[in-house]
Amino acid sequence: MTGSKEAPSTGAGSLTTENGFVLDYDVVVNGADSYIKAKITYPEWVGNTPGTTVSGNLNAFIGNVAIGTAGTITFTRTKGTEATGEATVKIAGAVVDGKNITLGEVSGSELTASYVKVKYEGTDVAKYVAGETKELSSSGIAIALSFSTTAADATINGAVKYTVTGCASEVTTPTAVTATSGAITSLTGATVVPNGDGYVVVTLTGLDQLVQAYSIVTSGELDIKDKGDAANTSGKIEITGAPAAAIPEGTKAAIQATIDNLNSNYAYKVTVTLEDGTKLEGLVTAASTATTLGASIVVTENIDLSKADVVVEAVPALALVGSAEANGANYTFTFNRPVAKKSGFVEGTDVTTDGAGTISGVEIEGTKVTVILSEALASGKKVELIVGALVDAEYAANATTAAATYTAP
């Protein structure tokens, strides 16, 4: 043991070994019953396995003269979590006095541990390495680990290399790993026996070259009624991703909605809010056809659409509500949604009359359309907005599918 320093005349002292142990000790001088009592502070690399022992040879000196061989002192971490421990070892030999006593190494030995921790180093180790061997016993075991990546084994085995130090038969030349289903059951292909005097260090390179792949989990079929269309009596919606699986990190993907039944509506407006707050909207106008919602998203993690918030809003087919109303020479039609004139609307073509008067204008306010004639209709005469003359003010493709007609009584 190295790092010794001369103790005070009381026979007490402290020393630190090269591998990080701190010993605070007392040498009790009592002839043939002399002994060393020591308190140890464990360095971080010592294993936490309950029953881990730390042992090494001690010797007592006065000046440079050995006064007796203390032999092996052993400390035991019963719980495996103690930061310190105590042990006593008898000095076998004649002790002259108890002054200026120091402790020193015997045969160059350091304190060694029966279990040591394995340290994994390298770029992205914390990101990709999982299920790794945490500790090794003095008898040795194979080092196992797995990679939290969906990169193909061929990619892992081609990119990732390792070295192992702090053990017998160190691997100092970077060597390609061999993984099956992303897991390595024996890193070196054999048992790794630690030196017992520090970490066994596994250094991995090439992890930063792996491209993580993610997946998008479908929402499963959802009842439209439970997702915002209370008036719907039937119909299911499903939210999916395209592609759905094995999506390389940074790839763009589409979130899509499929509805099996439009329930006589023109469409359904679907809004999906992902767990990260991203909001996507789209209009589903055809049954059983996947419709992309909003812009594509960049995939940087797994996406579970079953946890997304889905809101469905019915967009009814544009239709006349009730009968037109006459007020002098003005005839007002009411629709179920705000309307607008179709592109290229022409009075006299898209709105007609067989009455004596002419069409003076067409005014629209929200859901109401008023046709103004130069004179009121005579009995039996009519005014008519032809099929497709009016469209939904928000969705131009949602046009009237039947003529809107008023016939004077």
Side-chain angles (χ1 to χ4, degrees):
M1 183 178 303
T2 58
S4 310
K5 69 179 182 179
E6 186 174 290
S9 60
T10 57
S14 178
L15 63 88
T16 301
T17 70
E18 289 180 350
N19 55 356
F21 291 101
V22 177
L23 283 182
D24 296 304
Y25 62 86
D26 287 300
V27 179
V28 177
V29 177
N30 187 21
D33 293 325
S34 299
Y35 61 90
I36 299 171
K37 181 178 182 181
K39 177 181 179 181
I40 192 170
T41 301
Y42 300 106
E44 187 62 32
W45 59 264
V46 176
N48 291 334
T49 300
T52 293
T53 59
V54 172
S55 60
N57 294 326
L58 296 182
N59 203 355
F61 295 81
I62 296 178
N64 294 323
V65 180
I67 60 174
T69 302
T72 301
I73 189 168
T74 300
F75 303 86
T76 302
R77 300 182 84 175
T78 305
K79 296 180 180 179
T81 56
E82 302 94 324
T84 62
E86 293 185 354
T88 301
V89 62
K90 187 176 180 179
I91 299 175
V95 179
V96 179
D97 63 48
K99 295 182 178 181
N100 301 317
I101 295 175
T102 60
L103 297 186
E105 62 186 356
V106 172
S107 301
S109 64
E110 285 277 14
L111 288 175
T112 57
S114 61
Y115 279 87
V116 303
K117 294 177 183 176
V118 183
K119 180 188 287 188
Y120 297 85
E121 296 183 339
T123 303
D124 285 342
V125 161
K127 180 178 180 180
Y128 288 122
V129 174
E132 69 277 16
T133 299
K134 305 285 188 185
E135 298 184 7
L136 294 175
S137 68
S138 56
S139 58
I141 59 172
I143 293 178
L145 62 137
S146 59
F147 297 102
S148 57
T149 175
T150 53
D153 288 343
T155 301
I156 296 172
N157 297 341
V160 182
K161 292 180 171 60
Y162 73 92
T163 60
V164 184
T165 57
C167 60
S169 302
E170 292 184 335
V171 180
T172 56
T173 300
T175 303
V177 302
T178 302
T180 302
S181 299
I184 297 171
T185 56
S186 179
L187 184 68
T188 64
T191 296
V192 177
V193 178
N195 293 336
D197 57 0
Y199 286 106
V200 170
V201 180
V202 176
T203 302
L204 296 167
T205 58
L207 288 172
D208 54 345
Q209 298 176 37
L210 297 181
V211 177
Q212 179 79 322
Y214 298 103
S215 62
I216 300 176
V217 178
T218 178
S219 68
E221 287 193 333
L222 306 172
D223 189 332
I224 290 177
K225 286 191 295 184
D226 295 335
K227 293 295 175 182
D229 182 11
N232 170 47
T233 56
S234 65
K236 300 284 185 181
I237 182 172
E238 187 171 44
I239 312 299
T240 56
I247 307 168
E249 186 172 15
T251 299
K252 291 183 178 181
I255 303 300
Q256 299 178 323
T258 303
I259 292 176
D260 67 348
N261 187 349
L262 294 183
N263 301 299
S264 300
N265 292 305
Y266 161 68
Y268 278 103
K269 180 181 178 182
V270 179
T271 303
V272 173
T273 305
L274 304 179
E275 284 186 283
D276 66 359
T278 300
K279 183 174 288 188
L280 304 166
E281 293 183 347
L283 196 69
V284 180
T285 58
S288 303
T289 301
T291 301
T292 297
L293 306 177
S296 58
I297 60 173
V298 177
V299 179
T300 58
E301 60 184 355
N302 291 324
I303 299 173
D304 188 348
L305 295 174
S306 68
K307 298 179 180 179
D309 181 48
V310 180
V311 177
V312 180
E313 179 184 355
V315 180
L318 190 61
L320 185 68
V321 177
S323 301
E325 298 178 354
N327 181 14
N330 295 346
Y331 302 90
T332 300
F333 301 83
T334 301
F335 293 85
N336 59 346
R337 286 182 57 80
V339 295
K341 297 175 183 177
K342 74 170 188 178
S343 177
F345 183 93
V346 177
E347 293 177 6
T349 300
D350 292 298
V351 56
T352 62
T353 181
D354 59 358
T358 59
I359 299 171
S360 301
V362 177
E363 295 180 354
I364 297 178
E365 184 175 350
T367 60
K368 295 185 179 297
V369 179
T370 301
V371 179
I372 304 169
L373 302 181
S374 59
E375 62 180 78
L377 292 171
S379 178
K381 297 298 181 178
K382 65 182 179 180
V383 61
E384 182 176 80
L385 291 159
I386 68 168
V387 173
L390 301 174
V391 297
D392 190 307
E394 186 174 1
Y395 306 109
N398 185 19
T400 52
T401 57
T405 304
Y406 173 83
T407 300

